[in-house]
Amino acid sequence: MTKYALIDSQAKAAKAKDKDYSLPDGFGLSLVISKAGGKAWRLKYRLDHKEQVFTIGKYPKVSVSAAREAAAAARSLIAQGIHPLAHKREVALVNLSNTANSFGTIAHAWIEANKHWSANHLKQVSSCISR
């Protein structure tokens, strides 16, 4: 069984210091505590002969176990030669393009298709949808 160094109580108890510091969890994953008190999960890795850092998310929104799972998923991408940040951006772009079928987009297309309505009715419908 794989042994990790960090437990949830340690992550919760970590306090800000004069400088940023990190609490290592293992396999390149660490919890970085900023001097302002913010906590973020970061994964250090090497790809294309360069050291890279991938920020997984902020603690406590991303728990210790969720950070480990995300780091494992990132490591599998790295093993395939894919940068995790580039992959994350591609997924976000695909999700953004899927919102083209949102209610607002479809509603405005419907209004455009019904330009034959009276000006007053068109204004009322547009106002209602905009709200």
Side-chain angles (χ1 to χ4, degrees):
M1 186 168 156
T2 307
K3 202 170 190 180
Y4 289 99
L6 198 59
I7 57 175
D8 192 53
S9 61
Q10 290 171 319
K12 195 178 291 185
K15 303 291 182 205
K17 295 182 180 179
D18 293 340
K19 295 192 292 184
D20 294 356
Y21 69 100
S22 64
L23 298 174
D25 186 52
F27 306 104
L29 180 64
S30 61
L31 180 65
V32 178
I33 296 90
S34 71
K35 61 183 175 184
K39 301 174 185 178
W41 292 105
R42 296 214 174 117
L43 177 68
K44 281 189 177 183
Y45 62 96
R46 292 190 75 77
L47 192 60
D48 300 331
H49 306 290
K50 295 180 186 173
E51 186 172 290
Q52 308 278 336
V53 178
F54 175 61
T55 302
I56 293 172
K58 294 185 176 188
Y59 179 84
K61 186 175 181 181
V62 178
S63 67
V64 175
S65 60
R68 287 177 182 152
E69 290 173 12
R75 277 190 225 96
S76 80
L77 290 171
I78 294 162
Q80 298 171 38
I82 300 170
H83 287 275
L85 183 58
H87 183 262
K88 186 177 181 179
R89 286 179 180 156
E90 284 178 25
V91 169
L93 189 60
V94 167
N95 289 340
L96 182 63
S97 67
N98 289 342
T99 60
N101 291 331
S102 68
F103 174 79
T105 305
I106 294 170
H108 288 292
W110 176 67
I111 290 171
E112 288 295 317
N114 290 297
K115 286 284 189 179
H116 62 275
W117 291 338
S118 69
N120 188 37
H121 183 67
L122 193 60
K123 183 178 176 183
Q124 288 176 335
V125 171
S126 296
S127 175
C128 181
I129 288 175
S130 294
R131 279 187 262 132

